Amino acid sequence: MHRLFTELEPSITVTEQNLADRVRYILRSNIFDGAELERLRREAVPSSNENATTEGAVPQVAEQPAHVDAAENTPVVADSNDDGTFTQELEIEQMRSTLEEAIMETRSTPLENRPRLPRIALSKRNRAVVRALNPMLVTYLEASRDLCETDSILFGAALAVCRIIGAKLSTAGRTTGQSSAIPAWRTRIEERIAKARALIGRLICFRSGNTRPRIVRTVRMAFAGTNVSLSQPDIMQKLTEHIDDLKQRIAAWGKRIRRYTERSTRFNQNRLFQSDQKRLYKSLERPMVSGTGPVPNQADTVAFWRSLWSEPVNHNEGPWTEVVASQCAGITPMDPVTITPGDVAEAVRRAPNWKSPGLDGLHHYWLKGFVSYGRSWKRTRTTILPSFRSSPQSDKDKE
């Protein structure tokens, strides 16, 4: 490439590295599309040597950036035009090994320890990487046995895409429950309370007659910036007033923490009442004090439950059961609903790309991009009752 450039432009002095950097920048930034590059190439190359340069020089221009990028270990995928074709500077085998490593890592990782997938930019470069991994997923998805394994494969593919494009991944695992972190302001208040209590203890010691240097130094620091001196005749009264002031501050700080705790408890109970009343009532029950008596005998326990569940019992249901059975005889049973790949595709299509994912941590964006999972879904169809279709979670179940 450098030899051809010196023949075309002998008046311009440029090194081989500088020329390679300029070509790489042009291809990466997509300043010119494919048609424009071809037109410039035809204008620059003489007509007599057009065939030779087209066959010999053009591959050098396309291969030089790939050689430089491979030396830098920088995975780059760029688009050459708008119809989806792209020049892949990272070798296919390297992408395949990254995908296989991510899938194996995901299979051996629990759901709560999976990394949090970031939101990637909706660029042509990122979409090209997703399209490149799609045919590689067919082998893994055809060997999938259930939906859990399919979800693991899709998450591994999403993880591979993030690693290839260089997206930042959080190393900490995702938390599946409510966060138990203490607010920063509460930590600061608790530290103030601890310091105030320690100061009160030393002030009481000094008032009781303890004049050790450490105690005296603490009392002087407590009255620093005021007109109070330890040699004043009313120093005992000043000490009592300062102790009372600290106690009132501690009471105010503690009341603020209690208000926050009570408010959080009410909020969580109201939310739990809307979602699961049974669980709320169980949490409100006081735990029973476990007795300290002897442990029940295993034989007695088995005999007790066997008398309840093993002996046949004849129940007299009464005439009302026959009335109910006769009334329900004419009711047509509900037809089962089979979830088809079309239902799954429609549910995924209408879902937002970056809506908060479920426990698996997989956003809808990846379900839309990795279209190869449709083959695996055909072998794992699920039949449910029609009542679930009208429920708010039907789309979630389909996905």
Side-chain angles (χ1 to χ4, degrees):
M1 182 176 61
H2 182 264
R3 179 183 55 80
L4 179 62
F5 184 82
T6 54
E7 292 177 0
L8 296 177
E9 298 291 340
S11 60
I12 301 178
T13 303
V14 63
T15 62
E16 296 180 1
Q17 183 63 40
N18 191 7
L19 182 61
D21 293 340
R22 291 177 181 272
V23 172
R24 180 174 58 184
Y25 172 75
I26 293 174
L27 292 179
R28 279 186 175 181
S29 57
N30 292 333
I31 298 177
F32 305 105
D33 56 6
E36 186 68 16
L37 286 175
E38 186 64 25
R39 185 185 63 81
L40 294 175
R41 187 180 297 110
R42 287 196 302 267
E43 293 179 358
V45 177
S47 58
S48 60
N49 298 331
E50 184 175 358
N51 295 332
T53 55
T54 303
E55 295 177 359
V58 173
Q60 296 180 8
V61 175
E63 293 175 4
Q64 181 66 22
H67 175 72
V68 176
D69 285 342
E72 297 176 354
N73 283 332
T74 305
V76 177
V77 177
D79 292 337
S80 60
N81 50 30
D82 294 334
D83 60 356
T85 59
F86 60 94
T87 303
Q88 188 173 1
E89 300 182 9
L90 181 66
E91 296 180 356
I92 298 298
E93 292 301 326
Q94 185 175 355
M95 296 180 65
R96 192 183 304 275
S97 62
T98 304
L99 175 63
E100 182 178 0
E101 180 183 356
I103 292 177
M104 294 299 295
E105 179 183 344
T106 305
R107 285 177 175 176
S108 60
T109 304
L111 289 177
E112 60 273 10
N113 294 337
R114 286 183 179 180
R116 187 182 299 275
L117 295 177
R119 298 184 181 184
I120 64 174
L122 302 179
S123 61
K124 294 190 296 182
R125 172 174 175 264
N126 296 342
R127 288 196 296 267
V129 177
V130 175
R131 288 196 301 268
L133 292 184
N134 251 315
M136 302 180 189
L137 290 176
V138 177
T139 305
Y140 298 97
L141 292 174
E142 287 180 351
S144 177
R145 295 167 296 181
D146 51 19
L147 290 179
C148 294
E149 188 172 355
T150 301
D151 176 81
S152 176
I153 294 172
L154 294 179
F155 189 91
L159 185 62
V161 171
C162 295
R163 290 176 177 176
I164 291 174
I165 66 177
K168 185 177 181 181
L169 293 169
S170 61
T171 56
R174 299 176 299 107
T175 56
T176 57
Q178 296 182 355
S179 175
S180 60
I182 301 177
W185 63 267
R186 179 171 177 174
T187 303
R188 292 193 299 267
I189 290 179
E190 291 177 351
E191 292 177 355
R192 294 174 190 173
I193 292 176
K195 292 179 180 179
R197 287 176 176 172
L199 180 57
I200 289 175
R202 296 194 176 184
L203 292 177
I204 293 176
C205 290
F206 181 80
R207 189 177 59 179
S208 301
N210 191 340
T211 57
R212 287 185 298 176
R214 187 177 180 181
I215 301 297
V216 174
R217 184 170 58 252
T218 303
V219 175
R220 288 177 178 175
M221 292 176 60
F223 289 103
T226 62
N227 296 326
V228 179
S229 175
L230 301 184
S231 59
Q232 292 181 357
D234 58 344
I235 185 61
M236 295 301 173
Q237 181 180 357
K238 297 294 183 181
L239 286 173
T240 304
E241 293 176 357
H242 194 62
I243 291 173
D244 293 341
D245 180 67
L246 291 175
K247 289 182 178 180
Q248 292 178 6
R249 291 184 181 182
I250 292 175
W253 290 333
K255 188 175 182 180
R256 181 180 179 185
I257 294 178
R258 285 194 299 272
R259 287 200 307 266
Y260 168 77
T261 304
E262 294 174 357
R263 188 262 176 193
S264 299
T265 304
R266 289 195 302 269
F267 176 80
N268 294 331
Q269 290 179 352
N270 291 335
R271 185 172 59 178
L272 187 60
F273 180 80
Q274 298 294 333
S275 59
D276 193 350
Q277 298 182 10
K278 181 178 180 180
R279 183 180 174 187
L280 172 63
Y281 294 139
K282 284 186 176 181
S283 64
L284 294 178
E285 294 178 356
R286 294 184 179 273
M288 298 180 62
V289 179
S290 58
T292 58
V295 179
N297 188 7
Q298 181 178 3
D300 297 340
T301 305
V302 172
F304 173 78
W305 289 108
R306 182 173 293 162
S307 63
L308 295 178
W309 296 103
S310 299
E311 297 180 1
V313 179
N314 295 325
H315 297 281
N316 185 11
E317 301 293 347
W320 65 271
T321 57
E322 299 178 359
V323 176
V324 174
S326 61
Q327 292 177 353
C328 298
I331 299 178
T332 304
M334 301 176 66
D335 297 331
V337 176
T338 302
I339 300 178
T340 62
D343 296 333
V344 178
E346 179 63 20
V348 172
R349 184 188 64 82
R350 291 185 287 104
N353 285 338
W354 303 111
K355 186 179 179 181
S356 298
L359 297 179
D360 58 352
L362 197 64
H363 296 88
H364 295 118
Y365 172 82
W366 305 110
L367 298 180
K368 296 178 182 180
F370 298 130
V371 295
S372 301
Y373 73 91
R375 301 183 182 181
S376 175
W377 178 265
K378 293 180 181 179
R379 298 189 305 274
T380 55
R381 292 184 181 180
T382 305
T383 302
I384 60 174
L385 293 177
S387 58
F388 285 100
R389 171 170 288 186
S390 59
S391 63
Q393 297 180 351
S394 58
D395 294 344
K396 188 79 174 181
D397 295 336
K398 292 179 181 179
E399 297 161 14

PDB file of all heavy atoms in Angstrom, residues 363-387:
ATOM      1  N   HIS A 363     -32.440  -8.263  29.433  1.00  0.00           N
ATOM      2  CA  HIS A 363     -33.340  -7.234  28.927  1.00  0.00           C
ATOM      3  C   HIS A 363     -34.042  -7.704  27.651  1.00  0.00           C
ATOM      4  O   HIS A 363     -33.597  -8.645  26.983  1.00  0.00           O
ATOM      5  CB  HIS A 363     -32.570  -5.946  28.634  1.00  0.00           C
ATOM      6  CG  HIS A 363     -31.959  -5.319  29.840  1.00  0.00           C
ATOM      7  ND1 HIS A 363     -30.694  -5.654  30.287  1.00  0.00           N
ATOM      8  CD2 HIS A 363     -32.418  -4.378  30.703  1.00  0.00           C
ATOM      9  CE1 HIS A 363     -30.409  -4.944  31.356  1.00  0.00           C
ATOM     10  NE2 HIS A 363     -31.432  -4.177  31.639  1.00  0.00           N
ATOM     11  N   HIS A 364     -35.120  -7.007  27.297  1.00  0.00           N
ATOM     12  CA  HIS A 364     -35.843  -7.343  26.077  1.00  0.00           C
ATOM     13  C   HIS A 364     -35.021  -7.058  24.829  1.00  0.00           C
ATOM     14  O   HIS A 364     -35.292  -7.642  23.766  1.00  0.00           O
ATOM     15  CB  HIS A 364     -37.162  -6.553  26.006  1.00  0.00           C
ATOM     16  CG  HIS A 364     -38.127  -6.925  27.085  1.00  0.00           C
ATOM     17  ND1 HIS A 364     -38.563  -6.025  28.045  1.00  0.00           N
ATOM     18  CD2 HIS A 364     -38.731  -8.094  27.387  1.00  0.00           C
ATOM     19  CE1 HIS A 364     -39.395  -6.624  28.862  1.00  0.00           C
ATOM     20  NE2 HIS A 364     -39.519  -7.878  28.493  1.00  0.00           N
ATOM     21  N   TYR A 365     -34.042  -6.178  24.931  1.00  0.00           N
ATOM     22  CA  TYR A 365     -33.219  -5.853  23.772  1.00  0.00           C
ATOM     23  C   TYR A 365     -32.532  -7.102  23.227  1.00  0.00           C
ATOM     24  O   TYR A 365     -32.434  -7.301  22.010  1.00  0.00           O
ATOM     25  CB  TYR A 365     -32.175  -4.805  24.151  1.00  0.00           C
ATOM     26  CG  TYR A 365     -31.154  -4.540  23.069  1.00  0.00           C
ATOM     27  CD1 TYR A 365     -31.437  -3.680  22.023  1.00  0.00           C
ATOM     28  CD2 TYR A 365     -29.899  -5.153  23.097  1.00  0.00           C
ATOM     29  CE1 TYR A 365     -30.503  -3.430  21.023  1.00  0.00           C
ATOM     30  CE2 TYR A 365     -28.965  -4.916  22.113  1.00  0.00           C
ATOM     31  CZ  TYR A 365     -29.267  -4.059  21.083  1.00  0.00           C
ATOM     32  OH  TYR A 365     -28.342  -3.833  20.103  1.00  0.00           O
ATOM     33  N   TRP A 366     -32.062  -7.962  24.127  1.00  0.00           N
ATOM     34  CA  TRP A 366     -31.355  -9.161  23.681  1.00  0.00           C
ATOM     35  C   TRP A 366     -32.317 -10.183  23.111  1.00  0.00           C
ATOM     36  O   TRP A 366     -31.955 -10.921  22.186  1.00  0.00           O
ATOM     37  CB  TRP A 366     -30.581  -9.755  24.853  1.00  0.00           C
ATOM     38  CG  TRP A 366     -29.663  -8.770  25.495  1.00  0.00           C
ATOM     39  CD1 TRP A 366     -29.793  -8.200  26.731  1.00  0.00           C
ATOM     40  CD2 TRP A 366     -28.474  -8.199  24.936  1.00  0.00           C
ATOM     41  NE1 TRP A 366     -28.770  -7.329  26.975  1.00  0.00           N
ATOM     42  CE2 TRP A 366     -27.941  -7.304  25.892  1.00  0.00           C
ATOM     43  CE3 TRP A 366     -27.805  -8.357  23.720  1.00  0.00           C
ATOM     44  CZ2 TRP A 366     -26.779  -6.580  25.663  1.00  0.00           C
ATOM     45  CZ3 TRP A 366     -26.649  -7.638  23.491  1.00  0.00           C
ATOM     46  CH2 TRP A 366     -26.140  -6.757  24.455  1.00  0.00           C
ATOM     47  N   LEU A 367     -33.534 -10.249  23.622  1.00  0.00           N
ATOM     48  CA  LEU A 367     -34.521 -11.157  23.034  1.00  0.00           C
ATOM     49  C   LEU A 367     -34.910 -10.724  21.632  1.00  0.00           C
ATOM     50  O   LEU A 367     -35.226 -11.559  20.780  1.00  0.00           O
ATOM     51  CB  LEU A 367     -35.764 -11.221  23.932  1.00  0.00           C
ATOM     52  CG  LEU A 367     -35.556 -11.765  25.348  1.00  0.00           C
ATOM     53  CD1 LEU A 367     -36.873 -11.758  26.108  1.00  0.00           C
ATOM     54  CD2 LEU A 367     -34.966 -13.160  25.312  1.00  0.00           C
ATOM     55  N   LYS A 368     -34.897  -9.413  21.377  1.00  0.00           N
ATOM     56  CA  LYS A 368     -35.191  -8.929  20.030  1.00  0.00           C
ATOM     57  C   LYS A 368     -34.013  -9.147  19.087  1.00  0.00           C
ATOM     58  O   LYS A 368     -34.204  -9.380  17.892  1.00  0.00           O
ATOM     59  CB  LYS A 368     -35.541  -7.440  20.080  1.00  0.00           C
ATOM     60  CG  LYS A 368     -36.800  -7.120  20.849  1.00  0.00           C
ATOM     61  CD  LYS A 368     -37.042  -5.620  20.886  1.00  0.00           C
ATOM     62  CE  LYS A 368     -38.279  -5.281  21.695  1.00  0.00           C
ATOM     63  NZ  LYS A 368     -38.534  -3.815  21.752  1.00  0.00           N
ATOM     64  N   GLY A 369     -32.798  -9.046  19.612  1.00  0.00           N
ATOM     65  CA  GLY A 369     -31.629  -9.165  18.749  1.00  0.00           C
ATOM     66  C   GLY A 369     -31.275 -10.596  18.415  1.00  0.00           C
ATOM     67  O   GLY A 369     -30.973 -10.918  17.261  1.00  0.00           O
ATOM     68  N   PHE A 370     -31.343 -11.491  19.413  1.00  0.00           N
ATOM     69  CA  PHE A 370     -30.994 -12.892  19.177  1.00  0.00           C
ATOM     70  C   PHE A 370     -32.247 -13.642  18.730  1.00  0.00           C
ATOM     71  O   PHE A 370     -32.958 -14.244  19.532  1.00  0.00           O
ATOM     72  CB  PHE A 370     -30.411 -13.520  20.441  1.00  0.00           C
ATOM     73  CG  PHE A 370     -29.132 -12.878  20.901  1.00  0.00           C
ATOM     74  CD1 PHE A 370     -28.971 -12.488  22.214  1.00  0.00           C
ATOM     75  CD2 PHE A 370     -28.102 -12.643  20.010  1.00  0.00           C
ATOM     76  CE1 PHE A 370     -27.791 -11.897  22.636  1.00  0.00           C
ATOM     77  CE2 PHE A 370     -26.934 -12.050  20.425  1.00  0.00           C
ATOM     78  CZ  PHE A 370     -26.772 -11.674  21.730  1.00  0.00           C
ATOM     79  N   VAL A 371     -32.514 -13.606  17.450  1.00  0.00           N
ATOM     80  CA  VAL A 371     -33.740 -14.211  16.912  1.00  0.00           C
ATOM     81  C   VAL A 371     -33.604 -15.716  16.780  1.00  0.00           C
ATOM     82  O   VAL A 371     -34.587 -16.396  16.470  1.00  0.00           O
ATOM     83  CB  VAL A 371     -34.075 -13.593  15.539  1.00  0.00           C
ATOM     84  CG1 VAL A 371     -34.414 -12.121  15.688  1.00  0.00           C
ATOM     85  CG2 VAL A 371     -32.902 -13.763  14.570  1.00  0.00           C
ATOM     86  N   SER A 372     -32.430 -16.260  17.002  1.00  0.00           N
ATOM     87  CA  SER A 372     -32.244 -17.704  16.831  1.00  0.00           C
ATOM     88  C   SER A 372     -32.928 -18.510  17.918  1.00  0.00           C
ATOM     89  O   SER A 372     -33.086 -19.725  17.777  1.00  0.00           O
ATOM     90  CB  SER A 372     -30.744 -18.038  16.826  1.00  0.00           C
ATOM     91  OG  SER A 372     -30.083 -17.361  15.778  1.00  0.00           O
ATOM     92  N   TYR A 373     -33.330 -17.863  19.028  1.00  0.00           N
ATOM     93  CA  TYR A 373     -33.942 -18.623  20.117  1.00  0.00           C
ATOM     94  C   TYR A 373     -35.322 -19.127  19.746  1.00  0.00           C
ATOM     95  O   TYR A 373     -35.900 -19.963  20.444  1.00  0.00           O
ATOM     96  CB  TYR A 373     -34.033 -17.775  21.387  1.00  0.00           C
ATOM     97  CG  TYR A 373     -35.072 -16.686  21.353  1.00  0.00           C
ATOM     98  CD1 TYR A 373     -36.361 -16.923  21.807  1.00  0.00           C
ATOM     99  CD2 TYR A 373     -34.787 -15.424  20.858  1.00  0.00           C
ATOM    100  CE1 TYR A 373     -37.324 -15.937  21.782  1.00  0.00           C
ATOM    101  CE2 TYR A 373     -35.732 -14.435  20.828  1.00  0.00           C
ATOM    102  CZ  TYR A 373     -36.995 -14.688  21.280  1.00  0.00           C
ATOM    103  OH  TYR A 373     -37.934 -13.703  21.243  1.00  0.00           O
ATOM    104  N   GLY A 374     -35.892 -18.657  18.624  1.00  0.00           N
ATOM    105  CA  GLY A 374     -37.215 -19.126  18.198  1.00  0.00           C
ATOM    106  C   GLY A 374     -37.241 -20.612  17.891  1.00  0.00           C
ATOM    107  O   GLY A 374     -38.238 -21.294  18.114  1.00  0.00           O
ATOM    108  N   ARG A 375     -36.125 -21.147  17.392  1.00  0.00           N
ATOM    109  CA  ARG A 375     -36.085 -22.580  17.105  1.00  0.00           C
ATOM    110  C   ARG A 375     -36.158 -23.400  18.380  1.00  0.00           C
ATOM    111  O   ARG A 375     -36.820 -24.439  18.430  1.00  0.00           O
ATOM    112  CB  ARG A 375     -34.808 -22.906  16.344  1.00  0.00           C
ATOM    113  CG  ARG A 375     -34.664 -22.167  15.026  1.00  0.00           C
ATOM    114  CD  ARG A 375     -33.385 -22.605  14.303  1.00  0.00           C
ATOM    115  NE  ARG A 375     -33.209 -21.888  13.065  1.00  0.00           N
ATOM    116  CZ  ARG A 375     -32.176 -22.092  12.239  1.00  0.00           C
ATOM    117  NH1 ARG A 375     -31.259 -23.005  12.556  1.00  0.00           N
ATOM    118  NH2 ARG A 375     -32.066 -21.397  11.127  1.00  0.00           N
ATOM    119  N   SER A 376     -35.460 -22.944  19.395  1.00  0.00           N
ATOM    120  CA  SER A 376     -35.498 -23.668  20.659  1.00  0.00           C
ATOM    121  C   SER A 376     -36.876 -23.594  21.293  1.00  0.00           C
ATOM    122  O   SER A 376     -37.318 -24.529  21.950  1.00  0.00           O
ATOM    123  CB  SER A 376     -34.441 -23.105  21.612  1.00  0.00           C
ATOM    124  OG  SER A 376     -34.538 -23.714  22.879  1.00  0.00           O
ATOM    125  N   TRP A 377     -37.577 -22.479  21.082  1.00  0.00           N
ATOM    126  CA  TRP A 377     -38.901 -22.334  21.698  1.00  0.00           C
ATOM    127  C   TRP A 377     -39.907 -23.307  21.085  1.00  0.00           C
ATOM    128  O   TRP A 377     -40.823 -23.758  21.749  1.00  0.00           O
ATOM    129  CB  TRP A 377     -39.374 -20.899  21.530  1.00  0.00           C
ATOM    130  CG  TRP A 377     -40.730 -20.658  22.086  1.00  0.00           C
ATOM    131  CD1 TRP A 377     -41.913 -20.689  21.433  1.00  0.00           C
ATOM    132  CD2 TRP A 377     -41.050 -20.371  23.446  1.00  0.00           C
ATOM    133  NE1 TRP A 377     -42.939 -20.443  22.286  1.00  0.00           N
ATOM    134  CE2 TRP A 377     -42.443 -20.234  23.530  1.00  0.00           C
ATOM    135  CE3 TRP A 377     -40.290 -20.209  24.591  1.00  0.00           C
ATOM    136  CZ2 TRP A 377     -43.079 -19.947  24.715  1.00  0.00           C
ATOM    137  CZ3 TRP A 377     -40.943 -19.928  25.778  1.00  0.00           C
ATOM    138  CH2 TRP A 377     -42.316 -19.788  25.827  1.00  0.00           C
ATOM    139  N   LYS A 378     -39.743 -23.658  19.824  1.00  0.00           N
ATOM    140  CA  LYS A 378     -40.695 -24.544  19.178  1.00  0.00           C
ATOM    141  C   LYS A 378     -40.722 -25.915  19.832  1.00  0.00           C
ATOM    142  O   LYS A 378     -41.736 -26.614  19.810  1.00  0.00           O
ATOM    143  CB  LYS A 378     -40.347 -24.692  17.694  1.00  0.00           C
ATOM    144  CG  LYS A 378     -40.542 -23.408  16.892  1.00  0.00           C
ATOM    145  CD  LYS A 378     -40.185 -23.618  15.435  1.00  0.00           C
ATOM    146  CE  LYS A 378     -40.359 -22.320  14.645  1.00  0.00           C
ATOM    147  NZ  LYS A 378     -39.997 -22.486  13.218  1.00  0.00           N
ATOM    148  N   ARG A 379     -39.613 -26.332  20.420  1.00  0.00           N
ATOM    149  CA  ARG A 379     -39.556 -27.642  21.055  1.00  0.00           C
ATOM    150  C   ARG A 379     -39.959 -27.604  22.521  1.00  0.00           C
ATOM    151  O   ARG A 379     -40.061 -28.639  23.164  1.00  0.00           O
ATOM    152  CB  ARG A 379     -38.128 -28.197  20.954  1.00  0.00           C
ATOM    153  CG  ARG A 379     -37.663 -28.398  19.535  1.00  0.00           C
ATOM    154  CD  ARG A 379     -36.334 -29.161  19.534  1.00  0.00           C
ATOM    155  NE  ARG A 379     -35.337 -28.487  20.352  1.00  0.00           N
ATOM    156  CZ  ARG A 379     -34.553 -27.512  19.913  1.00  0.00           C
ATOM    157  NH1 ARG A 379     -34.665 -27.079  18.677  1.00  0.00           N
ATOM    158  NH2 ARG A 379     -33.669 -26.933  20.718  1.00  0.00           N
ATOM    159  N   THR A 380     -40.188 -26.415  23.068  1.00  0.00           N
ATOM    160  CA  THR A 380     -40.524 -26.307  24.494  1.00  0.00           C
ATOM    161  C   THR A 380     -41.790 -25.496  24.673  1.00  0.00           C
ATOM    162  O   THR A 380     -41.860 -24.603  25.490  1.00  0.00           O
ATOM    163  CB  THR A 380     -39.371 -25.646  25.257  1.00  0.00           C
ATOM    164  OG1 THR A 380     -39.072 -24.382  24.655  1.00  0.00           O
ATOM    165  CG2 THR A 380     -38.138 -26.514  25.237  1.00  0.00           C
ATOM    166  N   ARG A 381     -42.796 -25.766  23.856  1.00  0.00           N
ATOM    167  CA  ARG A 381     -44.062 -25.056  23.986  1.00  0.00           C
ATOM    168  C   ARG A 381     -44.718 -25.408  25.318  1.00  0.00           C
ATOM    169  O   ARG A 381     -44.590 -26.513  25.831  1.00  0.00           O
ATOM    170  CB  ARG A 381     -44.996 -25.425  22.842  1.00  0.00           C
ATOM    171  CG  ARG A 381     -44.527 -24.915  21.480  1.00  0.00           C
ATOM    172  CD  ARG A 381     -45.555 -25.226  20.418  1.00  0.00           C
ATOM    173  NE  ARG A 381     -45.123 -24.772  19.110  1.00  0.00           N
ATOM    174  CZ  ARG A 381     -45.838 -24.919  17.996  1.00  0.00           C
ATOM    175  NH1 ARG A 381     -47.018 -25.500  18.052  1.00  0.00           N
ATOM    176  NH2 ARG A 381     -45.379 -24.489  16.850  1.00  0.00           N
ATOM    177  N   THR A 382     -45.479 -24.459  25.817  1.00  0.00           N
ATOM    178  CA  THR A 382     -46.136 -24.629  27.109  1.00  0.00           C
ATOM    179  C   THR A 382     -47.635 -24.392  26.941  1.00  0.00           C
ATOM    180  O   THR A 382     -48.035 -23.428  26.286  1.00  0.00           O
ATOM    181  CB  THR A 382     -45.579 -23.637  28.147  1.00  0.00           C
ATOM    182  OG1 THR A 382     -44.167 -23.814  28.197  1.00  0.00           O
ATOM    183  CG2 THR A 382     -46.177 -23.896  29.505  1.00  0.00           C
ATOM    184  N   THR A 383     -48.439 -25.254  27.492  1.00  0.00           N
ATOM    185  CA  THR A 383     -49.891 -25.125  27.435  1.00  0.00           C
ATOM    186  C   THR A 383     -50.377 -24.624  28.781  1.00  0.00           C
ATOM    187  O   THR A 383     -50.068 -25.206  29.820  1.00  0.00           O
ATOM    188  CB  THR A 383     -50.536 -26.479  27.124  1.00  0.00           C
ATOM    189  OG1 THR A 383     -50.010 -26.954  25.886  1.00  0.00           O
ATOM    190  CG2 THR A 383     -52.041 -26.333  27.020  1.00  0.00           C
ATOM    191  N   ILE A 384     -51.153 -23.533  28.772  1.00  0.00           N
ATOM    192  CA  ILE A 384     -51.656 -22.934  30.006  1.00  0.00           C
ATOM    193  C   ILE A 384     -53.141 -22.707  29.872  1.00  0.00           C
ATOM    194  O   ILE A 384     -53.725 -22.834  28.786  1.00  0.00           O
ATOM    195  CB  ILE A 384     -50.945 -21.600  30.305  1.00  0.00           C
ATOM    196  CG1 ILE A 384     -51.183 -20.615  29.164  1.00  0.00           C
ATOM    197  CG2 ILE A 384     -49.465 -21.808  30.506  1.00  0.00           C
ATOM    198  CD1 ILE A 384     -50.648 -19.244  29.441  1.00  0.00           C
ATOM    199  N   LEU A 385     -53.762 -22.373  30.968  1.00  0.00           N
ATOM    200  CA  LEU A 385     -55.189 -22.070  30.952  1.00  0.00           C
ATOM    201  C   LEU A 385     -55.432 -20.714  30.327  1.00  0.00           C
ATOM    202  O   LEU A 385     -54.598 -19.819  30.415  1.00  0.00           O
ATOM    203  CB  LEU A 385     -55.735 -22.092  32.381  1.00  0.00           C
ATOM    204  CG  LEU A 385     -55.726 -23.470  33.064  1.00  0.00           C
ATOM    205  CD1 LEU A 385     -56.227 -23.320  34.484  1.00  0.00           C
ATOM    206  CD2 LEU A 385     -56.560 -24.472  32.292  1.00  0.00           C
ATOM    207  N   PRO A 386     -56.585 -20.512  29.705  1.00  0.00           N
ATOM    208  CA  PRO A 386     -56.847 -19.212  29.075  1.00  0.00           C
ATOM    209  C   PRO A 386     -56.893 -18.076  30.056  1.00  0.00           C
ATOM    210  O   PRO A 386     -56.685 -16.933  29.687  1.00  0.00           O
ATOM    211  CB  PRO A 386     -58.205 -19.432  28.385  1.00  0.00           C
ATOM    212  CG  PRO A 386     -58.362 -20.918  28.276  1.00  0.00           C
ATOM    213  CD  PRO A 386     -57.638 -21.492  29.450  1.00  0.00           C
ATOM    214  N   SER A 387     -57.178 -18.346  31.335  1.00  0.00           N
ATOM    215  CA  SER A 387     -57.285 -17.256  32.302  1.00  0.00           C
ATOM    216  C   SER A 387     -55.966 -16.525  32.475  1.00  0.00           C
ATOM    217  O   SER A 387     -55.960 -15.350  32.831  1.00  0.00           O
ATOM    218  CB  SER A 387     -57.748 -17.809  33.651  1.00  0.00           C
ATOM    219  OG  SER A 387     -56.837 -18.793  34.111  1.00  0.00           O
TER     220      SER A 387
END
